[in-house]
């Protein structure tokens, strides 16, 4: 499974960004997906749509996914300078050959200026 992220950038405090992560790979079924700030969980979503958020982003960030496109999104609103980090997409993929495997994207930089 390959995870390709997009949507990072530079924004002023109080602004918004939307991250996207598309999973590709033949013969795989994509399960839970999530976003990590460095290696700290920011938000996750199951294939059934159950979400989980870190306390620091509740009410500001929204995770969603399009199962038909194997894509997960992170809408980031009311951004703060402390949100500045590299954000990584994470996904669980399962296949008959490899079973359940965990995958990481290459990371996308989010910079919030004060």
């Amino acid at each position: 499974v390959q995870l390709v992220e997009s949507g990072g950038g530079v924004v002023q405090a109080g602004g918004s960004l939307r991250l996207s992560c598309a999973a590709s790979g033949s013969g795989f079924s994509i399960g839970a997906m999530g976003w990590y700030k460095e290696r700290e969980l920011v938000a996750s979503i199951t294939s059934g749509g159950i979400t989980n958020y870190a306390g620091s982003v509740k009410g500001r960030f929204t995770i969603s996914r399009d199962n038909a496109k194997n894509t997960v999104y992170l809408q980031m609103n009311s951004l703060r300078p402390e949100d500045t980090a590299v954000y990584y997409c994470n996904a669980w993929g399962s296949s008959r050959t490899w079973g359940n495997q965990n995958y990481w994207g290459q990371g996308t930089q989010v910079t919030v200026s004060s």
Side-chain angles (χ1 to χ4, degrees), residues 17-85:
L17 284 173
R18 189 191 194 208
L19 306 183
S20 299
C21 171
S24 62
S26 61
F28 282 88
S29 174
I30 302 298
M33 303 182 79
W35 289 96
Y36 285 72
K37 176 184 175 184
E38 304 297 339
R39 286 299 184 258
E40 176 184 339
L41 177 67
V42 173
S44 65
I45 185 167
T46 68
S47 57
I50 297 173
T51 59
N52 182 44
Y53 294 93
S56 60
V57 307
K58 281 183 179 178
R60 300 190 298 125
F61 293 5
T62 302
I63 190 169
S64 61
R65 65 188 288 168
D66 184 334
N67 288 335
K69 297 180 179 179
N70 283 332
T71 299
V72 64
Y73 306 96
L74 186 68
Q75 178 66 43
M76 310 167 75
N77 297 331
S78 302
L79 282 161
R80 305 167 179 169
E82 54 263 39
D83 295 319
T84 295

Side-chain angles (χ1 to χ4, degrees), residues 5-10 17-20 76 108-111:
E5 300 143 335
S6 60
V10 180
L17 284 173
R18 189 191 194 208
L19 306 183
S20 299
M76 310 167 75
T108 185
Q109 177 70 46
V110 171
T111 301

